[in-house]
Amino acid sequence: MPDEVTAERVAAIAASARIPLDAAAAERVARTVNPTVTRFFAEKIALPMEIEPASFVVVAREQAER
Amino acid sequence: MTDPANLSLVEVAAAIRERKLSSVEVTRALLARIGRWQPVLNAFVRIEAEEALSAAAAADAALRGGTTLGPLHGVPLAHKDMFYRAGKLSECGSKIRKGWVAPATSAATARLQGAGAVHLGALHMAEFAYGPTGHNEHLGPARNPWNPLRITGGSSSGSGAAVAARLTYAALGSDTGGSIRLPAHFCGVTGLKPTYGRISRADTMPLSFTLDTVGALARSAEDCALIGSIIAGADRLDPTTQGAPEWNMAATRRPVKDITVGVPRAYYVDDLEADVAKALDEAVATFRKLGARVVSVDLPDQTAVTAAAQIVLGAEATSLHSPWLRTRTGDYGAQVRARLQNGLAYSAVEYVEALRWRGPALAAHLAAIGDVDIIVAPASRAAAPTIEETDVGAGPHADATIQAMTRLMRPANYLGLPVLVVPAGHSGMPIGLQLIGRPFCDETAIALGRAFQTATDYHRRMPELP
């Protein structure tokens, strides 16, 4: 489970991306996004090291050959 | 002959090919209709009347000379203003791309043109395709032909409105989080969101390259089958299409008795308005009557795949827009700017984990549905709300409104599944249902939709000019 999404974290990511974001916007973003990140990590997904994004294509294409 | 504007895509294409109607007659009929409806709907952002009539005249001349370009010879079409045409404006519903001239033609548009289609103009859309309602701070909202005080849905807002009002026979749209399916549902038209990787997205405005799909809104499942047969297939400029199966037109007529339909026990059926629940029940009864096997299914928790979809969409959209977020942030509408800023919240590890989970999540979905071919589900819990009540901008209700609107949309994008939305009810406003297929089995969804439309007339109902 990651730390809660905080305004400080949002501001730090924005700064590293060199995208201007004022403090009020960072607060709003944290409030808005926190439920999504929390829900995703509540799934406790444990992915094998070998799984990569393109593994999706393998699963989908198996259906094409079905 | 009936008003040409009332024909379906398949019907008008045949009428032109058989010279029962000329392309010029048909184009004039649509332009006249556009002239009456456009002030009400705001469905078009550009109407290219002279060019369309000139192309229609050329199509008629070619036909008289014995030349047929393809299955859409002389058929006028209009598309969402994000399908580039080389040397032409493509403003993507934005201030930032105001006056932008596309350097190339989108693969989907090129294939339609190659099949003989005539270009009528460009259609309204949410700013950068990042909005589910049909609002646009720069263009004003598109309006629903069934009731102009109500939303069209978005982001393919003009596509939904224009097809419903019979201003075009079909329209290209894109679907990253419901942008074809919501307008199809709210406007009462048939919409095909294809399998991810089935239709090239080359030279189409991107929003989220992992989730973006290009598809069509049209008047029937049969029309969607025709469009699919033209625009699907491998394209070297879109690597996701490499190795995908060819479009199988015969499979769009697959017998319904060979199709197993799954009805979800949860999530998609929770908290529905009574008229939507009734439409779902009646559609299931129709599928049974048509010979389909109907079973109940327990899907994996859809809230988790929805969260993963939001992480992927948020991070990718923000990455694509980062140059303008640095230099032109004030030129976005407030809601789009706020949503793009939301993408700054995700860490690289979160984003990549959400990407990596996509394959296992699809495998879990397929294991859960077993031999089910099509899941039938509502597109939304209700018919179209009003423009006023959903005009939330970037205010405190914005996120809740967007989440509610897209709640039943995101899983199909994250899992890359094909979906056909068919009109399936009417309570003053249209109600659509999603027919969600297995990957690369778009044709099966169309086959079920086509059979459904032989037994129902919702797709034939037309709004009247207020």
Side-chain angles (χ1 to χ4, degrees):
Chain A
M1 184 83 171
D3 292 338
E4 188 174 327
V5 178
T6 61
E8 291 71 26
R9 168 178 133 155
V10 174
I13 296 176
S16 69
R18 296 168 183 79
I19 292 174
L21 192 72
D22 63 35
E27 285 282 356
R28 181 197 57 76
V29 169
R31 233 180 7 256
T32 303
V33 167
N34 196 49
T36 299
V37 173
T38 303
R39 175 64 194 91
F40 182 63
F41 281 92
E43 199 65 12
K44 295 189 173 31
I45 296 161
L47 295 170
M49 183 185 271
E50 292 75 15
I51 297 290
E52 59 165 300
S55 303
F56 166 77
V57 178
V58 176
V59 180
R61 290 291 165 90
E62 280 171 0
Q63 292 295 304
E65 292 154 15
R66 184 174 168 255
Chain B
M1 179 153 227
T2 176
D3 180 350
N6 297 346
L7 299 173
S8 72
L9 177 70
V10 168
E11 290 164 346
V12 79
I16 293 172
R17 194 166 51 245
E18 293 159 11
R19 299 179 67 179
K20 293 176 181 164
L21 284 170
S22 72
S23 177
V24 168
E25 277 177 272
V26 168
T27 303
R28 278 203 182 117
L30 290 194
L31 287 170
R33 205 170 164 84
I34 291 166
R36 294 192 295 273
W37 276 91
Q38 172 64 9
V40 178
L41 300 182
N42 193 25
F44 278 76
V45 293
R46 285 184 302 286
I47 301 161
E48 300 177 18
E50 281 183 29
E51 296 93 323
L53 285 169
S54 170
D60 287 337
L63 204 54
R64 282 194 298 276
T67 302
T68 306
L69 286 177
L72 297 179
H73 189 98
V75 177
L77 299 177
H79 307 299
K80 188 176 185 179
D81 193 21
M82 55 174 274
F83 290 90
Y84 305 161
R85 296 170 69 225
K88 302 284 187 183
L89 290 174
S90 188
E91 297 178 319
C92 307
S94 70
K95 178 177 179 185
I96 286 175
R97 274 201 160 167
K98 188 85 185 156
W100 186 73
V101 176
T105 299
S106 83
T109 311
R111 287 178 179 182
L112 293 175
Q113 285 175 346
V118 167
H119 190 73
L120 264 180
L123 297 169
H124 185 283
M125 59 183 284
E127 182 181 4
F128 289 118
Y130 212 5
T133 57
H135 289 82
N136 182 309
E137 292 184 32
H138 310 295
L139 304 172
R143 295 178 179 275
N144 194 310
W146 291 95
N147 181 341
L149 297 177
R150 293 185 180 268
I151 66 165
T152 56
S155 65
S156 307
S157 37
S159 302
V163 172
R166 274 53 178 172
L167 310 184
T168 178
Y169 293 98
L172 292 174
S174 64
D175 194 317
T176 306
S179 288
I180 287 172
R181 290 166 288 156
L182 288 171
H185 159 67
F186 289 129
C187 295
V189 302
T190 306
L192 174 65
K193 175 234 169 279
T195 301
Y196 180 80
R198 198 78 200 269
I199 294 174
S200 174
R201 304 153 309 157
D203 294 306
T204 302
M205 187 212 78
L207 176 60
S208 164
F209 37 83
T210 298
L211 305 173
D212 289 341
T213 55
V214 161
L217 295 96
R219 300 181 189 181
S220 68
E222 189 180 36
D223 288 353
C224 287
L226 176 57
I227 297 270
S229 74
I230 294 164
I231 65 175
D235 174 18
R236 68 180 178 80
L237 295 179
D238 182 348
T240 67
T241 63
Q242 299 299 324
E246 292 294 310
W247 190 260
N248 182 349
M249 202 60 167
T252 67
R253 299 186 186 92
R254 182 179 169 183
V256 176
K257 66 177 177 49
D258 296 341
I259 297 175
T260 299
V261 176
V263 183
R265 282 198 177 92
Y267 191 75
Y268 290 96
V269 293
D270 300 342
D271 190 34
L272 301 178
E273 292 272 337
D275 47 4
V276 175
K278 179 168 174 273
L280 178 62
D281 290 345
E282 288 177 356
V284 169
T286 302
F287 296 143
R288 279 204 177 93
K289 204 177 293 178
L290 289 165
R293 180 174 156 249
V294 178
V295 299
S296 296
V297 289
D298 292 305
L299 298 172
D301 188 336
Q302 302 288 284
T303 62
V305 290
T306 294
Q310 287 180 280
I311 292 169
V312 171
L313 168 60
E316 293 184 357
T318 300
S319 167
L320 295 178
H321 283 268
S322 58
W324 291 324
L325 286 169
R326 292 182 190 115
T327 58
R328 299 189 63 180
T329 188
D331 288 338
Y332 289 102
Q335 186 181 95
V336 173
R337 180 172 53 248
R339 294 187 74 190
L340 289 170
Q341 289 172 338
N342 290 347
L344 292 166
Y346 305 115
S347 72
V349 171
E350 287 160 358
Y351 168 59
V352 176
E353 280 207 45
L355 281 181
R356 290 175 65 225
W357 190 48
R358 204 176 178 209
L362 176 58
H365 171 85
L366 294 169
I369 67 173
D371 63 356
V372 165
D373 297 295
I374 299 292
I375 292 164
V376 58
S380 178
R381 64 175 292 279
T386 65
I387 289 171
E388 187 180 0
E389 71 190 292
T390 50
D391 189 12
V392 291
H397 302 298
D399 193 57
T401 301
I402 292 164
Q403 298 305 329
M405 193 72 66
T406 57
R407 181 172 172 273
L408 307 183
M409 295 286 110
R410 299 197 188 283
N413 295 98
Y414 184 70
L415 301 174
L417 304 173
V419 185
L420 187 79
V421 168
V422 289
H426 213 288
S427 57
M429 296 301 290
I431 293 164
L433 293 178
Q434 300 188 83
L435 308 180
I436 307 170
R438 306 175 77 95
F440 298 104
C441 298
D442 311 54
E443 293 92 332
T444 303
I446 290 174
L448 185 63
R450 182 197 287 257
F452 182 73
Q453 291 181 339
T454 62
T456 60
D457 73 347
Y458 297 113
H459 65 296
R460 292 198 177 275
R461 297 189 188 183
M462 288 192 297
E464 289 182 9
L465 190 63

